[in-house]
Amino acid sequence: MEYKGMTVNERLYASGLMDEFDKAVENKNIDKVKSILKKVELNETSIKPILESLDLKEE
C-alpha cells in the first residue's frame, strides 16, 4: 500500500489496523502502538510526537 500523503488516521484505516491501534492506546501498550505505526510506514521521528499527543510516555 502507498501511504504517502495520508494522515496517520487514514493510514490506520486503510491498513485495517485502526481497531488494533485503538486497543493498544487504551491499554497503554506503547510497544504495540509503535509497532502498528511502523507498519504504516512511520519512522521514530514521526512516532514520538504521536505518543506524546496520546499521553503515552516512553520509559
Side-chain angles (χ1 to χ4, degrees):
M1 168 150 289
E2 181 65 45
Y3 293 113
K4 206 171 218 154
M6 288 186 176
T7 67
V8 175
N9 280 342
E10 289 170 336
R11 291 173 186 223
L12 291 168
Y13 182 79
S15 66
L17 293 170
M18 182 69 85
D19 289 340
E20 190 176 341
F21 178 80
D22 288 342
K23 284 179 187 149
V25 170
E26 186 178 321
N27 294 328
K28 298 193 183 305
N29 186 338
I30 294 172
D31 290 335
K32 183 75 170 172
V33 170
K34 287 175 71 173
S35 170
I36 293 167
L37 292 174
K38 287 178 182 174
K39 286 180 185 175
V40 295
E41 299 177 4
L42 292 172
N43 59 30
E44 288 290 333
T45 306
S46 301
I47 291 172
K48 188 173 187 218
I50 294 168
L51 292 176
E52 289 172 0
S53 74
L54 294 168
D55 203 25
L56 296 174
K57 305 290 183 227
E58 289 191 86
E59 302 301 310

